[in-house]
């Protein structure tokens, strides 16, 4: 096929769409089901309606081939585990008794069984449920969900392409099940898994699928020759099947590298590649590999992870080059649109000029369709749209929002000494112990306490003007008093004010910093029914006034025990925002760090002996390829130190991380030079404590003993068992006792009971160690 004929065949497509609905209907239905207020039938009806709306929105935007199977009640990797029958033994009874309740037991756990481990999906803020596999795992095809959703779309008249997590990525994301040797490699189960995929593919073909997409994002990471050989074997065997649809193997988030020629040679009909950000190198790599003769190429040229408008002319130039490298070229976002909000047009409060810089899922679908049209019909058919796009890009580039000379002068003046504590850790630790006088195994929480319905109502009333600022503050102060009193009664050693006034750990600060924009409807799924509204980091950052000092001072005046000042770190402020893409991330991080440095100084001046600067996103933002990591870790750790290094020796700096694989960043954790770090450890059974000990980490550590993302209430005995595992790796003099994460999503009943278990475990082990 010539480039001209390839262009004439171009269609717009997508890998996935936001699941929640314009008003988070899915969240409300699922949580209603959990509470017994919504029936299973009503929940399924809501889900079907949301799928119908999503496909209709894509089709109306001009997307000619819609995805199916991307919709999920909780997580698409969990859905894959169900589809291949990989249900852990502890969940089988629940799944057999009621598949829906069993599914949620795998996701959230219940009082009888613990959930699957949860961690970040590559370098995004989306969380997936980690498959648990072992030598005895027996896979079995369960095609009900992918087949059912395909039939729904076809019945509505759509050209549809089912999307499944690919077999290589599924196995590479898995971990050994509890009780299985730690050195077990799930990829060794490939030969057992492939026949199950073959059955799924046959069922989808029988249901009417012409194409099936198999997502293999794990192949954009550095892979061993054995793993690449496994990928070659997998697609050689799947490609050789006679009873199957056409196969489109998709990758995203980075370039494929050594995996590209492996997939290019595989007997599959198409590849989907990302050509945005760090994945732009796929263009040269594809040309060097000789292109994809005779194959379909789905080109991800619209950034599916950020919210800025596309440079249409740049994308068209990329697509024009690609036309000569494949039999057929189609246009898509770079990845699933799961990672962006639904519709920028819903944001009525943003300046109209700035709003023209934004593209959410609906707008990105329209951009993809416009680019496909430009390829099919020529740029002359979209002249007006291209001119408007050029004007919007110029408006953003020349805006005073994006360039503040004072901010840039301050960042340019930063020296290496500004990002280092004046005293080494041993001297700081001695001074801090003298000032704080804490017991062995000190207890604390991570920061937030339950965000009750009453607190949300008060926030909504303030926004709607039903109460004024004074009434709102009075309500928040009452909550702080209750939280402080509760912690004192519970016996916690280092307290928090509970953060009742904070809508979100990033948004709260973003709303008080220049350069940020807040959305009202920009919800994005983080995990399950947890949705966040990432702020938009649009321009240069500065801090006009203190952000947390008054709340800290109010809380500290209520107690003799130390209260932590609570801030969100610079890397997390970037990672959990839609960050600007017009300057290096390190430069933006330095701007945020300097704003936080001012806040830390003000907290210390107000009497804070402990300041926590959370960096849960440090690991998730780690580049997927090793060659890009040193530069990232340099600016990431420098920005944290820049924010925290201006304090006295006896001011204790804490940080917090959660739900990530920390092994790859142990050196960076040390480079943060925090005095205390708290980390998620419950679902991973205290593995991180051993990792820290193995790396020679010299400072204090709080590995979590309560999984706050599950409704399970841990017993004192469970917490003691976890702490014993922690003590096997970390000396008692350096071990803290805390939950895995903040308590914002938990209810007060379980919070009281769980913290009783936590404090009781600490007291038990203190007595044991003293005796």
């Amino acid at each position: 096929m010539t480039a001209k004929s390839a262009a004439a065949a171009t269609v717009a497509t997508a890998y996935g769409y936001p699941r929640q609905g314009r008003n988070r209907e899915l969240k409300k239905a699922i949580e209603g089901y959990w509470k017994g207020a919504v029936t299973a039938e009503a929940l399924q009806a809501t889900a079907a309606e949301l799928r119908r709306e999503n496909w209709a929105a894509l089709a109306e935007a001009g997307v000619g081939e819609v995805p199916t199977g991307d919709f999920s009640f909780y997580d698409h990797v969990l859905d894959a585990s169900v589809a291949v029958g990989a249900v852990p033994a502890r969940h089988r009874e629940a799944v057999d008794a009621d598949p829906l309740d069993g599914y949620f037991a795998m996701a959230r756990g219940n009082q009888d069984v613990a959930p699957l481990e949860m961690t970040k999906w590559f370098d995004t803020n989306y969380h997936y449920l980690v498959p648990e596999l072992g030598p005895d795992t027996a896979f079995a095809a369960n095609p009900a969900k992918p087949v059912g959703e395909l039939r729904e779309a076809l019945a509505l008249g759509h050209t549809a392409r089912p999307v499944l997590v690919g077999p290589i990525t599924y196995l590479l994301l898995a971990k050994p099940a509890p009780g299985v040797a730690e050195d077990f490699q799930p990829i060794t189960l490939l030969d057992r898994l492939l026949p199950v995929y073959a059955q799924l593919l046959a069922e989808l073909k029988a249901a009417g699928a012409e194409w099936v997409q198999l997502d293999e994002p794990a192949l954009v990471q550095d892979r061993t020759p054995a793993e690449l050989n496994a990928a070659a074997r997998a697609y050689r065997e799947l490609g050789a099947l006679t009873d199957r649809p056409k196969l489109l193997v998709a990758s995203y988030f980075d370039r494929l590298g050594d995996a590209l020629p492996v997939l290019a040679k595989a007997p599959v009909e198409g590849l989907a590649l990302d050509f945005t950000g760090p994945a732009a190198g796929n263009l040269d790599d594809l040309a060097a590999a000789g292109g994809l003769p005779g194959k379909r190429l789905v080109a991800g040229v619209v950034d599916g992870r950020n919210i800025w408008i596309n440079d249409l002319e740049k994308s068209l130039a990329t697509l024009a080059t690609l036309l000569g490298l494949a039999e057929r070229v189609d246009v898509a976002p770079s990845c699933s649109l799961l990672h962006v909000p639904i519709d920028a047009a819903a944001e009525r409060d943003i300046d109209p000029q700035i709003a023209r810089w934004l593209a959410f899922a609906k707008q990105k679908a329209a951009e993809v369709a416009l680019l496909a049209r430009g390829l099919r019909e020529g740029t002359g058919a979209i002249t007006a749209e291209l001119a408007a796009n050029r004007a919007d890009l110029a408006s953003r580039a020349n805006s005073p929002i994006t360039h503040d000379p004072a901010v840039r002068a301050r960042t340019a003046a930063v020296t290496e000494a500004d990002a280092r504590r004046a005293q080494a850790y041993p001297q700081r630790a001695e001074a801090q112990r003298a000032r704080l006088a804490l017991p062995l195994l000190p207890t604390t929480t991570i920061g937030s306490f339950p965000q009750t319905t009453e607190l949300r109502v008060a926030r909504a009333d303030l926004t709607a003007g039903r109460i004024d600022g004074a009434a709102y503050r009075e309500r928040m102060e009452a909550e702080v008093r209750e939280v402080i009193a509760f912690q004192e009664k519970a016996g916690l050693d280092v307290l928090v004010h509970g953060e009742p006034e904070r809508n979100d750990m990033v948004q709260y600060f973003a709303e008080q910093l220049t350069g940020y924009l807040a959305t009202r409807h920009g919800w994005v799924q983080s995990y399950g029914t947890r949705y966040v509204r990432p702020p938009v980091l649009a321009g240069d950052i500065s801090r006009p006034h203190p952000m947390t000092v008054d709340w800290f001072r109010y809380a500290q005046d209520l107690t003799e025990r130390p209260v932590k000042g609570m801030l969100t770190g610079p890397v997390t402020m970037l990672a959990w925002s839609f960050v600007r893409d017009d300057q290096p991330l390190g430069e933006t991080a330095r701007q945020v760090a300097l704003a936080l440095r001012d806040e830390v100084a003000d907290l210390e001046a107000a009497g804070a002996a402990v300041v926590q600067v959370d960096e849960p996103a440090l690991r998730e933002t780690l580049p997927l390829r090793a060659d890009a990591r040193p530069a990232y870790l340099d600016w990431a750790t420098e920005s944290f130190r820049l924010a925290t290094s201006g304090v006295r020796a006896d001011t204790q700096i804490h940080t917090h991380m959660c739900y990530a694989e920390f092994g790859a960043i142990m050196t960076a954790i040390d480079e943060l030079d925090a005095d205390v770090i708290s980390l998620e450890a419950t679902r991973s059974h205290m593995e991180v404590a051993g990792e820290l000990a193995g790396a020679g980490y010299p400072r204090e550590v709080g590995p979590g003993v309560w999984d706050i993302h599950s409704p399970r209430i841990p017993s004192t005995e469970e917490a003691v068992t976890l702490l014993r595992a922690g003590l096997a790796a970390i000396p008692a003099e350096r071990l803290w006792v805390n939950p895995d994460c903040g308590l914002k999503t938990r209810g007060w009943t379980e919070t009281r009971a769980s913290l009783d278990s936590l404090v009781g475990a600490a007291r038990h082990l203190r007595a044991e160690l003293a005796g």
Side-chain angles (χ1 to χ4, degrees):
M1 182 181 288
T2 66
K4 183 176 181 180
S5 57
T10 295
V11 299
T13 188
Y15 306 162
Y17 203 74
R19 302 160 179 164
Q20 68 269 24
R22 294 178 65 89
N23 297 304
R24 291 180 294 159
E25 292 89 347
L26 185 62
K27 170 186 173 68
K28 297 167 187 175
I30 292 174
E31 292 180 353
Y33 176 75
W34 291 343
K35 295 174 183 176
V38 173
T39 66
E41 293 75 16
L43 174 58
Q44 294 287 2
T46 297
E49 176 62 18
L50 290 174
R51 289 192 291 270
R52 185 194 67 78
E53 290 178 0
N54 285 354
W55 295 326
L58 287 167
E60 290 167 6
V63 172
E65 182 186 46
V66 301
T68 65
D70 61 301
F71 183 89
S72 179
F73 279 134
Y74 208 95
D75 164 50
H76 56 271
V77 181
L78 177 59
D79 295 345
S81 291
V82 172
V84 300
V87 176
R90 67 182 179 279
H91 297 121
R92 285 177 191 152
E93 183 178 349
V95 170
D96 290 343
D98 186 300
L100 185 59
D101 287 344
Y103 175 90
F104 287 129
M106 293 170 69
R108 307 171 66 233
N110 55 39
Q111 203 54 41
D112 298 320
V113 294
L116 291 167
E117 183 179 342
M118 183 165 63
T119 196
K120 295 296 176 74
W121 174 249
F122 297 93
D123 58 347
T124 76
N125 189 34
Y126 177 82
H127 302 64
Y128 75 94
L129 279 301
V130 181
E132 295 177 0
L133 306 177
D136 296 331
T137 297
F139 298 109
N142 180 3
K145 179 183 184 295
V147 167
E149 292 178 12
L150 170 64
R151 286 175 173 159
E152 287 179 24
L154 294 176
L156 292 168
H158 299 291
T159 299
R161 184 184 70 252
V163 178
L164 300 173
V165 176
I168 299 298
T169 290
Y170 181 77
L171 293 174
L172 291 174
L173 292 180
K175 67 178 297 182
V180 172
E182 291 184 5
D183 61 353
F184 173 74
Q185 298 295 318
I187 195 69
T188 59
L189 300 176
L190 180 62
D191 290 338
R192 197 180 303 175
L193 182 61
L194 288 177
V196 175
Y197 269 81
Q199 185 176 345
L200 292 173
L201 292 172
E203 295 277 2
L204 288 166
K205 180 183 179 184
E210 179 184 1
W211 287 86
V212 168
Q213 177 177 321
L214 295 174
D215 281 2
E216 294 288 8
L219 293 178
V220 306
Q221 297 173 297
D222 298 302
R223 290 298 167 197
T224 66
E227 290 166 341
L228 293 174
N229 287 337
R233 187 171 84 254
Y235 285 99
R236 185 168 59 247
E237 293 189 18
L238 292 177
L241 296 171
T242 56
D243 186 19
R244 67 167 177 83
K246 296 176 183 177
L247 297 181
L248 177 72
V249 182
S251 67
Y252 36 82
F253 300 149
D254 212 317
R255 61 186 184 87
L256 268 175
D258 291 340
L260 179 56
V262 172
L263 295 180
K265 294 174 185 175
V268 300
E269 288 73 23
L271 294 186
L273 301 179
D274 184 351
F275 293 97
T276 67
N282 273 329
L283 181 60
D284 290 339
D285 292 347
L286 185 61
L292 300 174
K295 294 184 187 289
R296 176 188 187 187
L297 171 64
V298 176
V301 293
V302 171
D303 189 347
R305 293 180 54 177
N306 216 329
I307 46 70
W308 304 109
I309 57 172
N310 185 259
D311 185 334
L312 297 177
E313 291 182 327
K314 181 179 178 181
S315 293
L316 284 168
T318 298
L319 290 166
T321 301
L322 293 172
L323 285 174
L325 296 175
E327 178 76 11
R328 167 184 168 188
V329 176
D330 294 327
V331 187
S334 61
C335 60
S336 172
L337 296 175
L338 164 73
H339 304 289
V340 295
I342 293 176
D343 186 4
E347 302 302 328
R348 309 288 186 182
D349 299 332
I350 293 178
D351 182 290
Q353 180 60 58
I354 297 173
R356 292 186 63 84
W357 307 346
L358 305 179
F360 294 177
K362 184 176 180 180
Q363 288 73 38
K364 289 181 184 295
E367 288 179 333
V368 166
L370 185 68
L371 290 166
R373 182 184 168 201
L375 276 194
R376 286 194 308 269
E377 303 175 18
T379 56
I382 57 171
T383 300
E385 291 89 343
L386 292 176
N389 179 248
R390 281 194 300 272
D392 292 337
L393 292 170
S395 168
R396 182 181 171 209
N398 297 322
S399 171
I401 292 174
T402 58
H403 293 84
D404 182 333
V407 171
R408 291 175 178 256
R410 187 182 183 194
T411 58
V414 169
T415 67
E416 184 176 348
D418 292 328
R420 294 287 178 186
R421 295 285 289 269
Q423 304 83 10
Y425 171 71
Q427 289 73 45
R428 302 197 314 257
E430 183 178 352
Q432 291 159 18
R433 287 170 184 152
R435 181 180 182 184
L436 293 169
L438 296 173
L440 203 64
L441 304 177
T443 56
T444 189
T445 65
I446 302 305
S448 60
F449 265 70
Q451 285 273 326
T452 63
T453 300
E454 292 77 13
L455 292 176
R456 295 190 185 97
V457 168
R459 191 172 295 117
D461 286 346
L462 177 67
T463 301
R466 291 186 289 268
I467 60 175
D468 61 15
Y472 176 74
R473 185 173 182 90
E474 182 179 343
R475 176 67 188 89
M476 297 301 109
E477 287 179 349
E479 184 71 14
V480 172
R481 290 195 299 272
E482 291 180 14
V483 167
I484 293 292
F486 165 74
Q487 292 173 91
E488 287 190 321
K489 184 177 180 181
L492 290 164
D493 300 305
V494 176
L495 313 189
V496 297
H497 81 287
E499 305 176 11
E501 80 289 357
R502 301 188 189 184
N503 43 19
D504 174 81
M505 67 180 292
V506 171
Q507 182 182 346
Y508 176 78
F509 294 100
E511 289 174 347
Q512 300 183 72
L513 295 169
T514 64
Y516 270 101
L517 305 173
T519 68
R520 297 192 65 180
H521 306 285
W523 297 102
V524 176
Q525 186 181 21
S526 179
Y527 64 87
T529 62
R530 168 68 169 153
Y531 287 84
V532 295
R533 280 185 298 159
V536 178
L537 203 167
D540 288 342
I541 300 297
S542 62
R543 186 197 72 144
H545 52 72
M547 301 178 286
T548 66
V549 175
D550 284 349
W551 290 109
F552 162 77
R553 188 180 286 116
Y554 180 80
Q556 187 63 81
D557 286 346
L558 296 171
T559 181
E560 296 297 319
R561 301 181 193 183
V563 175
K564 290 192 280 192
M566 299 296 306
L567 304 175
T568 301
V571 174
T572 303
M573 289 294 296
L574 269 61
W576 294 359
S577 301
F578 292 118
V579 70
R580 62 190 302 179
D581 59 357
D582 58 346
Q583 70 179 17
L585 282 173
E587 180 66 18
T588 307
R590 182 173 283 193
Q591 292 180 3
V592 177
L594 288 171
L596 293 174
R597 184 182 181 94
D598 295 341
E599 187 73 11
V600 171
D602 285 344
L603 283 167
E604 184 181 56
V610 182
V611 178
Q612 182 169 310
V613 181
D614 290 343
E615 282 291 24
L618 182 70
R619 172 60 179 86
E620 79 181 46
T621 315
L622 188 71
L624 297 177
R625 290 197 166 271
D627 59 2
R629 292 176 178 178
Y632 160 73
L633 291 172
D634 281 349
W635 66 253
T637 55
E638 183 217 43
S639 67
F640 180 88
R641 295 194 310 271
L642 185 59
T644 57
S645 290
V647 296
R648 305 191 312 257
D650 63 353
T651 297
Q652 191 173 71
I653 296 295
H654 287 224
T655 192
H656 170 68
M657 299 179 189
C658 58
Y659 293 109
E661 300 293 338
F662 298 109
I665 60 166
M666 283 298 171
T667 301
I669 289 175
D670 188 37
E671 276 295 304
L672 296 177
D673 199 23
D675 300 304
V676 182
I677 183 170
S678 56
L679 308 102
E680 177 275 329
T682 307
R683 293 199 185 190
S684 57
H685 311 290
M686 204 57 70
E687 288 177 2
V688 71
E691 291 175 347
L692 287 166
Y697 187 74
R699 302 176 190 83
E700 297 179 37
V701 181
V705 297
W706 167 24
D707 174 14
I708 67 89
H709 292 292
S710 169
R712 290 190 73 252
I713 296 171
S715 66
T716 299
E717 292 73 20
E718 288 177 52
V720 166
T721 298
L722 282 169
L723 284 172
R724 288 193 198 283
L727 285 167
I730 298 167
E733 294 75 16
R734 293 196 285 113
L735 192 71
W736 285 63
V737 182
N738 46 257
D740 278 339
C741 203
L743 309 181
K744 179 179 180 178
T745 60
R746 300 271 51 97
W748 266 108
T749 299
E750 59 198 287
T751 294
R752 291 187 181 95
S754 299
L755 286 179
D756 281 346
S757 295
L758 183 151
V759 173
R763 287 172 174 166
H764 176 87
L765 286 172
R766 283 175 197 157
E768 187 175 282
L769 290 166

